[in-house]
Every structure is written in structure tokens, then in C-alpha cells.
Amino acid sequence: MKSRTESRICALQSLYELDLTDHLPGEVVADRAGAMELDKTQLEFACMLTTGVREYADQLDSLIAEHAPEWPLDQVAVIDRNILRLALWEVAVYRKTPLKVGINEAVELAKAFGTDSSARFVNGVLGSLADNIETITQTLHK
């Protein structure tokens, strides 16, 4: 498995746990990274992803809700919501991950960790967001 993919898995699992508990973010990421035996570079990327998504969560959620109005965010599965947040943060805030790579990685995460319909849902929402990615990026960088 690719190094960055493993970091994304760690970040996704951490974000999922943090959404459902009041555990400390640093401890959650460290525990996940230890269980996955991530190296230092992978851990740093996982920490950056987790911290970034948590910092921008409200803005990301607003954009996701705007581009998936038929799915109220509080009704979206926690894992799917975090996959969307992670992908959107990575392509629109971090901006070092190409859009197609971000979408592909998100779909693969949805296949691995979501339900049977998660990959299709994630791909559809991210496709809608992709149509407006320049505007979204500008909005997140104001």
C-alpha cells in the first residue's frame, strides 16, 4: 500500500473516532499510527490531515451540504462525512494533491470503510464539488 494512502487511512480512522468520542486528537492519531506502524513521514502527514480537517470542519461541512442538498449532513454516515471532509481539505486547502488523486483516494477509502453505496455517494458529491473547485479553494483561503 502507498505511504500516503496509509496516512489517509490513519487520518480517516482518527477523524471517525474523534467525531464519536471526546478523546484527545494527538493521542488518537498516535494510537492509530502506532497500530499501523507508520513511519515518521507518514505520521506527520496523518497528523497534518487530521489537524487540517478538524480546523476547517465547519467550512468543509457547509460546502459539502451546499453541494449535496438532498443529503442533510447530520444524516450522512460518519465515515462518509469524514471521507468527504478529508478529500475536500486535501484538494482545496492543502492543494498539493491533484483533484483526480483526491477523488480516487476518497472513493477507495469509501470502498474499504463505508457501506456498499458509500463509494458511489462519495464520488457523486466530490464530482459536484470538483465542478466548483476553484471557487471553493478561493472561499477556503479567504
Side-chain angles (χ1 to χ4, degrees):
M1 186 176 302
K2 294 180 184 175
S3 172
R4 291 246 164 152
T5 299
E6 290 177 343
S7 296
R8 287 181 187 100
I9 290 169
C10 178
L12 176 62
Q13 290 175 341
S14 298
L15 290 164
Y16 180 85
E17 181 175 340
L18 292 166
D19 261 11
L20 298 175
T21 68
D22 58 356
H23 296 163
L24 297 174
E27 290 179 13
V28 170
V29 176
D31 288 348
R32 294 282 108 239
M36 294 177 68
E37 299 180 357
L38 298 185
D39 65 30
K40 182 181 178 200
T41 302
Q42 291 172 307
L43 173 59
E44 288 171 357
F45 189 58
C47 286
M48 182 184 63
L49 291 170
T50 305
T51 302
V53 169
R54 289 183 51 85
E55 179 182 339
Y56 281 83
D58 291 341
Q59 294 159 286
L60 298 171
D61 287 353
S62 177
L63 289 164
I64 293 165
E66 180 182 325
H67 289 84
E70 64 280 355
W71 290 95
L73 212 51
D74 62 342
Q75 293 179 14
V76 172
V78 175
I79 198 74
D80 294 348
R81 183 171 56 240
N82 279 298
I83 291 169
L84 292 169
R85 287 173 177 163
L86 188 59
L88 184 55
W89 183 86
E90 199 170 346
V91 298
V93 178
Y94 179 61
R95 297 193 300 186
K96 293 180 183 172
T97 301
L99 179 62
K100 288 182 180 183
V101 172
I103 292 173
N104 185 58
E105 287 286 321
V107 169
E108 292 303 315
L109 288 171
K111 287 178 184 176
F113 296 99
T115 64
D116 290 342
S117 60
S118 291
R120 189 172 63 249
F121 171 71
V122 166
N123 190 52
V125 174
L126 291 176
S128 176
L129 288 160
D131 292 340
N132 301 293
I133 198 65
E134 291 305 319
T135 304
I136 289 168
T137 300
Q138 290 173 1
T139 300
L140 291 170
H141 284 276
K142 285 184 179 177

